[in-house]
Amino acid sequence: MKKRTQVGIIGAGPAGLLLSQVLHLNGIESIIVERQSPEHILGRTRAGALEPGTVNFLRSAGVGERLDRECHSHKGIEVCFQNSRFRLDLEELAGDNITIYGQTDITKDLMSARAKLGGEVIYNVANTSIHDLNADSPLIRYTKGEEGSEIKCDFIAGCDGSRGVSRESLTEKISTNFEYKYPYHWLAILCESRPVCDELLYIHHEKGFVLCSMRSPSISRYAVQCGVHDTVEDWSEDRIWGEISERLPPEVATTLDTGSCVDKTIVPLKSFVTEPMNYKRLFLAGDSAHIVPPTGAKGLNLACSDVYLLSKALVQYYKSGKPDLLESYSNNALERIWKAEWFAGWWTEILHIDPNHNLYKRREQIEHLKKLSRSHGAQMALAESYLGKSY
Ligand code: RFL
Ligand code: PHB
Protein backbone atom coordinates (compact mmCIF):
# COMPACT_ATOMS: atom_id res chain seq x y z
CA MET A 1 0.00 0.00 0.00
CA LYS A 2 1.23 3.52 -0.80
CA LYS A 3 0.24 6.54 1.30
CA ARG A 4 1.11 10.24 1.35
CA THR A 5 1.23 12.57 4.36
CA GLN A 6 2.85 15.80 5.47
CA VAL A 7 4.70 14.47 8.52
CA GLY A 8 5.46 10.75 8.86
CA ILE A 9 6.07 9.89 12.51
CA ILE A 10 7.92 6.76 13.65
CA GLY A 11 6.91 5.69 17.18
CA ALA A 12 3.72 6.09 19.22
CA GLY A 13 5.32 6.80 22.59
CA PRO A 14 4.59 10.15 24.26
CA ALA A 15 6.78 12.09 21.78
CA GLY A 16 5.16 10.68 18.61
CA LEU A 17 1.57 10.86 19.87
CA LEU A 18 1.97 14.38 21.26
CA LEU A 19 3.59 15.63 18.04
CA SER A 20 0.80 14.17 15.93
CA GLN A 21 -1.83 15.72 18.23
CA VAL A 22 -0.28 19.22 18.19
CA LEU A 23 0.23 19.11 14.41
CA HIS A 24 -3.42 18.12 13.94
CA LEU A 25 -4.59 21.06 16.09
CA ASN A 26 -2.61 23.29 13.71
CA GLY A 27 -4.07 21.78 10.53
CA ILE A 28 -1.04 19.62 9.63
CA GLU A 29 -1.60 15.96 8.77
CA SER A 30 0.53 13.10 10.00
CA ILE A 31 0.61 9.30 10.11
CA ILE A 32 2.27 7.37 12.94
CA VAL A 33 3.79 3.91 12.49
CA GLU A 34 4.43 1.93 15.69
CA ARG A 35 6.17 -1.40 16.21
CA GLN A 36 4.11 -2.48 19.23
CA SER A 37 0.40 -2.91 19.99
CA PRO A 38 -1.44 -0.24 22.05
CA GLU A 39 -1.81 -2.79 24.90
CA HIS A 40 1.94 -3.39 24.99
CA ILE A 41 2.67 0.35 25.11
CA LEU A 42 0.17 0.89 27.92
CA GLY A 43 1.69 -2.02 29.86
CA ARG A 44 5.04 -0.19 30.26
CA THR A 45 5.52 1.56 33.61
CA ARG A 46 7.82 4.50 33.19
CA ALA A 47 7.99 8.18 34.08
CA GLY A 48 5.92 9.88 36.73
CA ALA A 49 7.22 13.35 37.56
CA LEU A 50 6.24 16.26 35.29
CA GLU A 51 7.66 19.78 35.19
CA PRO A 52 5.18 22.71 35.17
CA GLY A 53 6.09 23.50 31.52
CA THR A 54 5.22 19.93 30.49
CA VAL A 55 1.86 20.08 32.25
CA ASN A 56 1.00 23.36 30.51
CA PHE A 57 2.00 21.99 27.11
CA LEU A 58 -0.13 18.87 27.64
CA ARG A 59 -3.08 21.10 28.60
CA SER A 60 -2.63 23.20 25.45
CA ALA A 61 -2.61 19.98 23.40
CA GLY A 62 -6.07 19.15 24.76
CA VAL A 63 -4.99 16.34 27.09
CA GLY A 64 -5.06 18.15 30.42
CA GLU A 65 -8.52 17.29 31.67
CA ARG A 66 -7.93 13.90 33.36
CA LEU A 67 -4.41 14.99 34.28
CA ASP A 68 -5.77 18.00 36.22
CA ARG A 69 -8.40 15.83 37.88
CA GLU A 70 -6.24 12.87 38.90
CA CYS A 71 -2.66 14.17 39.28
CA HIS A 72 -0.88 14.69 42.59
CA SER A 73 0.84 17.99 43.01
CA HIS A 74 3.92 18.08 45.28
CA LYS A 75 5.16 21.32 46.78
CA GLY A 76 8.47 19.82 47.81
CA ILE A 77 10.85 16.86 47.79
CA GLU A 78 12.79 15.28 50.65
CA VAL A 79 16.39 14.13 50.70
CA CYS A 80 17.94 11.75 53.26
CA PHE A 81 21.60 10.97 53.89
CA GLN A 82 23.39 9.45 56.89
CA ASN A 83 21.15 10.34 59.81
CA SER A 84 19.76 13.55 58.44
CA ARG A 85 16.81 14.49 56.33
CA PHE A 86 15.95 17.79 54.70
CA ARG A 87 13.11 19.12 52.61
CA LEU A 88 13.36 21.32 49.53
CA ASP A 89 10.32 23.53 49.37
CA LEU A 90 10.04 23.80 45.59
CA GLU A 91 7.24 26.32 45.80
CA GLU A 92 9.18 28.65 48.07
CA LEU A 93 12.53 28.12 46.29
CA ALA A 94 11.40 28.30 42.66
CA GLY A 95 7.72 29.23 42.74
CA ASP A 96 6.21 25.99 41.42
CA ASN A 97 5.22 22.38 42.07
CA ILE A 98 6.13 19.04 40.56
CA THR A 99 3.20 17.03 39.22
CA ILE A 100 2.92 13.27 39.61
CA TYR A 101 0.93 11.65 36.80
CA GLY A 102 2.12 8.41 35.18
CA GLN A 103 3.47 8.23 31.65
CA THR A 104 1.04 5.35 31.08
CA ASP A 105 -1.86 7.71 31.78
CA ILE A 106 -0.45 10.45 29.55
CA THR A 107 -0.06 7.91 26.74
CA LYS A 108 -3.60 6.62 27.29
CA ASP A 109 -4.98 10.19 27.17
CA LEU A 110 -3.01 10.94 23.98
CA MET A 111 -4.16 7.70 22.32
CA SER A 112 -7.81 8.53 22.97
CA ALA A 113 -7.38 12.18 21.90
CA ARG A 114 -5.83 10.96 18.61
CA ALA A 115 -8.61 8.41 18.09
CA LYS A 116 -11.31 11.05 18.78
CA LEU A 117 -9.85 13.36 16.11
CA GLY A 118 -9.46 10.55 13.57
CA GLY A 119 -5.65 10.43 13.83
CA GLU A 120 -4.02 7.61 11.89
CA VAL A 121 -1.80 5.38 14.02
CA ILE A 122 -0.66 2.11 12.42
CA TYR A 123 0.31 -0.33 15.19
CA ASN A 124 2.16 -3.66 14.98
CA VAL A 125 4.40 -2.72 12.06
CA ALA A 126 7.76 -4.42 11.40
CA ASN A 127 10.87 -3.70 9.34
CA THR A 128 10.50 0.09 9.52
CA SER A 129 13.09 1.84 7.38
CA ILE A 130 13.79 5.35 6.11
CA HIS A 131 14.62 6.14 2.47
CA ASP A 132 15.37 9.01 0.09
CA LEU A 133 16.52 11.42 2.79
CA ASN A 134 18.25 13.51 0.15
CA ALA A 135 15.03 13.95 -1.86
CA ASP A 136 12.16 16.41 -1.28
CA SER A 137 9.81 13.59 -0.28
CA PRO A 138 11.51 11.01 1.94
CA LEU A 139 9.86 7.63 2.48
CA ILE A 140 9.03 5.42 5.44
CA ARG A 141 8.76 1.72 4.51
CA TYR A 142 7.35 -0.95 6.79
CA THR A 143 5.56 -4.26 6.74
CA LYS A 144 2.35 -5.17 8.49
CA GLY A 145 1.56 -8.87 8.42
CA GLU A 146 2.64 -10.07 4.98
CA GLU A 147 2.11 -6.72 3.26
CA GLY A 148 4.85 -4.18 2.53
CA SER A 149 3.81 -0.49 2.58
CA GLU A 150 5.34 2.94 2.16
CA ILE A 151 4.47 6.47 3.23
CA LYS A 152 5.74 9.41 1.20
CA CYS A 153 6.26 12.44 3.49
CA ASP A 154 7.37 16.06 3.46
CA PHE A 155 9.16 15.42 6.75
CA ILE A 156 9.94 12.41 8.96
CA ALA A 157 9.89 12.71 12.76
CA GLY A 158 11.96 10.00 14.44
CA CYS A 159 10.14 9.50 17.76
CA ASP A 160 11.08 5.83 18.06
CA GLY A 161 12.93 5.91 21.38
CA SER A 162 16.38 4.67 22.27
CA ARG A 163 16.17 1.45 20.22
CA GLY A 164 14.52 2.77 17.05
CA VAL A 165 15.77 3.06 13.49
CA SER A 166 15.77 6.86 13.07
CA ARG A 167 18.90 7.58 15.05
CA GLU A 168 20.88 5.03 13.03
CA SER A 169 19.85 6.73 9.78
CA LEU A 170 21.13 9.99 11.17
CA THR A 171 24.34 8.61 12.67
CA GLU A 172 25.20 7.04 9.33
CA LYS A 173 24.92 10.48 7.75
CA ILE A 174 26.38 13.04 10.13
CA SER A 175 25.79 12.72 13.87
CA THR A 176 28.21 12.30 16.73
CA ASN A 177 27.07 10.26 19.72
CA PHE A 178 28.06 11.15 23.31
CA GLU A 179 27.55 8.39 25.86
CA TYR A 180 28.26 7.59 29.50
CA LYS A 181 27.16 4.43 31.35
CA TYR A 182 26.83 4.50 35.14
CA PRO A 183 28.31 1.61 37.15
CA TYR A 184 24.93 0.72 38.74
CA HIS A 185 21.35 -0.01 37.68
CA TRP A 186 17.89 0.46 39.21
CA LEU A 187 15.41 -2.16 40.20
CA ALA A 188 12.18 -0.17 39.63
CA ILE A 189 8.95 -1.51 41.11
CA LEU A 190 5.30 -0.53 41.09
CA CYS A 191 3.34 -2.02 43.97
CA GLU A 192 -0.03 -2.10 45.64
CA SER A 193 0.91 -0.35 48.85
CA ARG A 194 0.47 2.97 50.63
CA PRO A 195 3.34 5.40 49.81
CA VAL A 196 5.69 5.99 52.78
CA CYS A 197 5.73 9.73 52.26
CA ASP A 198 3.38 12.44 50.96
CA GLU A 199 6.20 13.74 48.75
CA LEU A 200 9.09 12.18 46.79
CA LEU A 201 11.92 10.88 48.96
CA TYR A 202 15.49 10.62 47.56
CA ILE A 203 17.75 8.52 49.81
CA HIS A 204 21.54 8.37 49.74
CA HIS A 205 22.52 5.25 51.73
CA GLU A 206 25.78 3.33 52.00
CA LYS A 207 24.00 0.20 50.69
CA GLY A 208 22.73 2.15 47.68
CA PHE A 209 20.23 4.77 46.55
CA VAL A 210 16.45 4.46 47.03
CA LEU A 211 13.70 6.61 45.50
CA CYS A 212 10.25 6.53 47.09
CA SER A 213 7.55 7.80 44.74
CA MET A 214 3.90 7.09 44.15
CA ARG A 215 1.13 6.99 41.58
CA SER A 216 -1.90 7.20 43.92
CA PRO A 217 -2.71 6.87 47.66
CA SER A 218 -2.68 3.07 47.20
CA ILE A 219 0.05 2.60 44.54
CA SER A 220 3.72 3.19 45.33
CA ARG A 221 6.72 3.43 43.04
CA TYR A 222 10.19 2.57 44.33
CA ALA A 223 13.60 2.50 42.66
CA VAL A 224 16.38 0.61 44.42
CA GLN A 225 20.02 0.86 43.32
CA CYS A 226 21.28 -2.57 42.27
CA GLY A 227 24.29 -4.10 40.52
CA VAL A 228 24.85 -3.96 36.76
CA HIS A 229 24.61 -7.77 36.52
CA ASP A 230 21.45 -8.10 38.67
CA THR A 231 18.34 -9.61 37.10
CA VAL A 232 14.70 -9.33 38.16
CA GLU A 233 14.91 -12.96 39.36
CA ASP A 234 17.62 -11.98 41.87
CA TRP A 235 15.09 -9.73 43.60
CA SER A 236 12.33 -11.62 45.44
CA GLU A 237 9.67 -9.48 47.10
CA ASP A 238 11.17 -10.38 50.52
CA ARG A 239 14.57 -9.15 49.40
CA ILE A 240 13.11 -5.95 47.90
CA TRP A 241 11.22 -5.00 51.07
CA GLY A 242 14.19 -5.98 53.27
CA GLU A 243 16.57 -3.74 51.28
CA ILE A 244 14.15 -0.80 51.11
CA SER A 245 13.45 -1.05 54.82
CA GLU A 246 17.17 -1.10 55.65
CA ARG A 247 17.91 1.93 53.48
CA LEU A 248 14.97 4.06 54.74
CA PRO A 249 15.43 6.36 57.75
CA PRO A 250 14.26 4.29 60.80
CA GLU A 251 11.20 6.48 61.51
CA VAL A 252 10.04 6.01 57.89
CA ALA A 253 10.86 2.26 57.79
CA THR A 254 8.36 1.60 60.59
CA THR A 255 5.55 2.92 58.35
CA LEU A 256 6.58 0.86 55.26
CA ASP A 257 3.57 -0.83 53.67
CA THR A 258 4.77 -3.96 51.83
CA GLY A 259 2.12 -4.75 49.22
CA SER A 260 2.56 -6.98 46.21
CA CYS A 261 4.65 -5.84 43.23
CA VAL A 262 2.67 -5.47 40.00
CA ASP A 263 5.73 -4.53 37.95
CA LYS A 264 9.47 -5.15 38.42
CA THR A 265 12.04 -3.86 35.91
CA ILE A 266 15.80 -3.49 35.80
CA VAL A 267 16.70 -0.05 34.43
CA PRO A 268 20.27 0.58 33.22
CA LEU A 269 21.42 4.16 33.95
CA LYS A 270 22.87 5.92 30.96
CA SER A 271 23.49 9.44 29.63
CA PHE A 272 23.41 9.79 25.86
CA VAL A 273 23.10 12.62 23.34
CA THR A 274 23.28 12.58 19.55
CA GLU A 275 24.30 15.80 17.82
CA PRO A 276 22.85 17.25 15.61
CA MET A 277 19.27 16.00 15.88
CA ASN A 278 18.33 16.35 12.23
CA TYR A 279 19.54 15.60 8.73
CA LYS A 280 17.71 17.21 5.80
CA ARG A 281 14.03 16.28 6.33
CA LEU A 282 14.53 13.83 9.23
CA PHE A 283 14.11 15.27 12.75
CA LEU A 284 14.61 13.32 15.99
CA ALA A 285 12.56 14.02 19.14
CA GLY A 286 12.59 12.37 22.58
CA ASP A 287 14.59 9.30 23.61
CA SER A 288 15.66 8.66 20.01
CA ALA A 289 18.02 11.64 20.39
CA HIS A 290 18.92 11.56 24.08
CA ILE A 291 18.76 9.48 27.24
CA VAL A 292 19.10 10.71 30.81
CA PRO A 293 19.52 8.62 33.95
CA PRO A 294 15.98 8.53 35.45
CA THR A 295 17.01 10.00 38.84
CA GLY A 296 16.44 13.54 37.59
CA ALA A 297 12.98 12.71 36.13
CA LYS A 298 13.86 14.55 32.91
CA GLY A 299 13.31 12.02 30.07
CA LEU A 300 9.61 12.53 29.44
CA ASN A 301 9.90 16.26 30.07
CA LEU A 302 12.65 16.53 27.44
CA ALA A 303 10.58 14.49 24.97
CA CYS A 304 7.75 17.01 25.45
CA SER A 305 10.02 20.05 25.09
CA ASP A 306 11.49 18.62 21.84
CA VAL A 307 7.94 18.20 20.54
CA TYR A 308 7.12 21.77 21.56
CA LEU A 309 10.06 23.10 19.50
CA LEU A 310 9.58 20.76 16.55
CA SER A 311 5.83 21.39 16.27
CA LYS A 312 6.43 25.15 16.41
CA ALA A 313 9.00 24.86 13.62
CA LEU A 314 6.72 22.73 11.42
CA VAL A 315 3.75 25.05 12.01
CA GLN A 316 5.89 28.04 11.02
CA TYR A 317 7.04 26.21 7.88
CA TYR A 318 3.53 25.24 6.77
CA LYS A 319 1.98 28.63 7.65
CA SER A 320 4.63 30.94 6.22
CA GLY A 321 7.04 28.78 4.21
CA LYS A 322 9.92 29.94 6.45
CA PRO A 323 12.43 27.18 7.32
CA ASP A 324 14.40 29.10 9.99
CA LEU A 325 12.88 27.37 13.05
CA LEU A 326 13.40 23.98 11.40
CA GLU A 327 17.01 24.95 10.73
CA SER A 328 17.58 26.03 14.34
CA TYR A 329 15.54 23.15 15.87
CA SER A 330 18.54 20.98 16.74
CA ASN A 331 20.56 23.81 18.34
CA ASN A 332 17.55 25.12 20.28
CA ALA A 333 16.60 21.66 21.55
CA LEU A 334 20.20 20.74 22.45
CA GLU A 335 20.56 23.86 24.66
CA ARG A 336 17.92 22.51 27.00
CA ILE A 337 18.94 18.87 26.58
CA TRP A 338 22.54 19.43 27.70
CA LYS A 339 21.37 21.36 30.79
CA ALA A 340 19.04 18.52 31.70
CA GLU A 341 21.75 15.93 30.97
CA TRP A 342 24.12 17.75 33.30
CA PHE A 343 21.50 18.03 36.05
CA ALA A 344 20.38 14.40 35.79
CA GLY A 345 23.99 13.15 35.81
CA TRP A 346 24.97 15.34 38.78
CA TRP A 347 21.90 14.40 40.84
CA THR A 348 22.49 10.71 40.03
CA GLU A 349 26.14 10.81 41.03
CA ILE A 350 25.68 12.48 44.40
CA LEU A 351 22.89 10.10 45.41
CA HIS A 352 24.23 6.69 44.28
CA ILE A 353 27.09 4.61 45.66
CA ASP A 354 29.71 4.06 42.97
CA PRO A 355 31.29 0.63 43.64
CA ASN A 356 34.56 1.96 42.17
CA HIS A 357 34.75 4.96 44.50
CA ASN A 358 37.28 5.07 47.28
CA LEU A 359 36.49 6.42 50.76
CA TYR A 360 37.64 9.90 49.81
CA LYS A 361 35.08 10.17 47.00
CA ARG A 362 32.29 8.90 49.24
CA ARG A 363 33.19 11.44 51.91
CA GLU A 364 33.08 14.15 49.25
CA GLN A 365 29.50 13.14 48.33
CA ILE A 366 28.48 13.65 51.97
CA GLU A 367 29.99 17.15 52.00
CA HIS A 368 28.01 17.94 48.88
CA LEU A 369 24.77 16.73 50.45
CA LYS A 370 25.53 18.71 53.62
CA LYS A 371 25.99 21.86 51.56
CA LEU A 372 22.65 21.21 49.86
CA SER A 373 20.95 20.75 53.21
CA ARG A 374 22.24 24.11 54.51
CA SER A 375 22.68 26.48 51.60
CA HIS A 376 19.65 28.38 50.33
CA GLY A 377 21.56 29.23 47.13
CA ALA A 378 22.39 25.56 46.43
CA GLN A 379 18.78 24.60 47.14
CA MET A 380 17.48 27.27 44.77
CA ALA A 381 19.74 26.05 41.97
CA LEU A 382 18.56 22.47 42.50
CA ALA A 383 14.87 23.47 42.66
CA GLU A 384 15.15 25.45 39.42
CA SER A 385 16.79 22.59 37.55
CA TYR A 386 14.38 20.06 39.04
CA LEU A 387 11.40 22.10 37.85
CA GLY A 388 13.01 22.79 34.45
CA LYS A 389 13.14 26.52 35.16
CA SER A 390 16.78 27.35 34.60
CA TYR A 391 16.67 26.76 30.87
P1 RFL B 1 9.38 5.91 23.95
O1 RFL B 1 8.42 6.06 25.07
O2 RFL B 1 10.45 4.87 24.11
O3 RFL B 1 8.54 5.61 22.63
C1 RFL B 1 9.16 5.20 21.41
C2 RFL B 1 8.15 4.36 20.62
O4 RFL B 1 8.74 4.01 19.37
C3 RFL B 1 8.43 2.64 19.08
N1 RFL B 1 9.44 2.12 18.13
C4 RFL B 1 9.18 1.91 16.82
N2 RFL B 1 8.07 2.08 16.08
C5 RFL B 1 8.14 1.75 14.76
N3 RFL B 1 9.27 1.26 14.16
C6 RFL B 1 10.40 1.08 14.88
N4 RFL B 1 11.51 0.62 14.30
C7 RFL B 1 10.39 1.41 16.26
N5 RFL B 1 11.31 1.36 17.26
C8 RFL B 1 10.72 1.79 18.36
C9 RFL B 1 8.48 1.99 20.45
O5 RFL B 1 7.76 0.76 20.47
C10 RFL B 1 7.84 3.05 21.34
O6 RFL B 1 6.46 2.89 21.46
O7 RFL B 1 10.12 7.27 23.59
P2 RFL B 1 9.60 8.81 23.72
O8 RFL B 1 8.24 8.92 23.09
O9 RFL B 1 10.72 9.62 23.23
O10 RFL B 1 9.37 9.07 25.28
C11 RFL B 1 10.46 9.10 26.17
C12 RFL B 1 10.05 8.59 27.56
O11 RFL B 1 9.43 7.32 27.40
C13 RFL B 1 11.25 8.47 28.51
O12 RFL B 1 12.13 9.55 28.35
C14 RFL B 1 10.83 8.44 30.01
O13 RFL B 1 10.07 7.30 30.29
C15 RFL B 1 12.06 8.50 30.92
N6 RFL B 1 11.72 8.41 32.36
C16 RFL B 1 11.27 9.51 33.05
N7 RFL B 1 11.10 10.70 32.43
C17 RFL B 1 10.59 11.78 33.11
O14 RFL B 1 10.46 12.88 32.53
N8 RFL B 1 10.19 11.71 34.42
C18 RFL B 1 10.34 10.55 35.13
O15 RFL B 1 9.93 10.50 36.29
C19 RFL B 1 10.92 9.41 34.46
N9 RFL B 1 11.06 8.24 35.10
C20 RFL B 1 11.81 7.19 33.01
C21 RFL B 1 11.47 7.14 34.40
C22 RFL B 1 12.21 6.02 32.35
C23 RFL B 1 12.29 4.85 33.05
N10 RFL B 1 12.68 3.69 32.32
C24 RFL B 1 12.03 2.45 32.36
C25 RFL B 1 13.67 3.83 31.27
C26 RFL B 1 11.54 5.98 35.11
C27 RFL B 1 11.96 4.82 34.46
C28 RFL B 1 12.04 3.58 35.27
C1 PHB C 1 8.61 8.18 39.19
O1 PHB C 1 7.65 8.35 39.97
O2 PHB C 1 8.61 7.32 38.29
C2 PHB C 1 9.83 9.02 39.36
C3 PHB C 1 9.78 10.13 40.21
C4 PHB C 1 10.92 10.89 40.40
C5 PHB C 1 12.09 10.56 39.73
C6 PHB C 1 12.13 9.48 38.87
C7 PHB C 1 10.99 8.69 38.67
O3 PHB C 1 13.19 11.31 39.95
Side-chain angles (χ1 to χ4, degrees), residues 47 183-184 386:
Y184 31 75
Y386 193 79

Side-chain angles (χ1 to χ4, degrees), residues 175-250:
S175 287
T176 308
N177 294 335
F178 300 85
E179 180 176 75
Y180 178 73
K181 288 183 176 160
Y182 296 82
Y184 31 75
H185 287 176
W186 274 12
L187 174 80
I189 62 164
L190 190 72
C191 47
E192 291 166 336
S193 65
R194 259 180 297 106
V196 281
C197 183
D198 292 339
E199 298 180 328
L200 300 188
L201 202 55
Y202 291 87
I203 300 164
H204 169 101
H205 188 277
E206 61 186 25
K207 287 203 76 187
F209 168 74
V210 174
L211 164 69
C212 309
S213 179
M214 44 102 70
R215 289 293 178 272
S216 77
S218 57
I219 305 279
S220 303
R221 174 86 167 146
Y222 291 95
V224 181
Q225 178 182 341
C226 65
V228 291
H229 301 297
D230 284 14
T231 62
V232 165
E233 290 71 40
D234 294 331
W235 287 84
S236 65
E237 289 199 12
D238 279 352
R239 180 174 176 207
I240 293 172
W241 294 121
E243 286 282 338
I244 293 177
S245 171
E246 202 177 335
R247 299 182 197 185
L248 286 174

Side-chain angles (χ1 to χ4, degrees), residues 52-53 74-76 89-98 387 389:
H74 290 180
K75 292 192 173 111
D89 188 325
L90 299 171
E91 201 167 52
E92 185 257 320
L93 291 161
D96 241 316
N97 299 346
I98 198 85
L387 292 170
K389 295 218 152 190

Side-chain angles (χ1 to χ4, degrees), residues 268-371:
L269 268 63
K270 187 162 119 172
S271 297
F272 176 91
V273 181
T274 196
E275 258 188 19
M277 287 164 62
N278 72 299
Y279 175 76
K280 304 272 172 100
R281 289 171 171 263
L282 169 65
F283 292 82
L284 302 188
D287 276 17
S288 63
H290 41 76
I291 298 164
V292 278
T295 331
K298 289 288 168 212
L300 175 59
N301 293 294
L302 282 182
C304 292
S305 61
D306 288 354
V307 169
Y308 172 78
L309 293 173
L310 184 55
S311 58
K312 222 166 121 181
L314 288 164
V315 170
Q316 187 208 43
Y317 176 84
Y318 281 108
K319 293 216 161 128
S320 69
K322 285 195 195 142
D324 49 298
L325 286 182
L326 282 172
E327 284 163 8
S328 58
Y329 165 71
S330 175
N331 281 346
N332 291 343
L334 284 162
E335 271 282 306
R336 186 183 164 91
I337 289 159
W338 276 112
K339 284 180 184 147
E341 289 282 351
W342 169 79
F343 168 71
W346 168 78
W347 189 225
T348 297
E349 287 188 326
I350 66 166
L351 289 171
H352 289 72
I353 299 298
D354 183 334
N356 309 314
H357 268 173
N358 63 17
L359 279 179
Y360 179 86
K361 280 291 183 195
R362 293 206 182 163
R363 188 67 184 76
E364 208 176 53
Q365 276 182 314
I366 297 298
E367 280 312 299
H368 209 138
L369 287 161
K370 276 189 190 162
K371 165 133 180 142

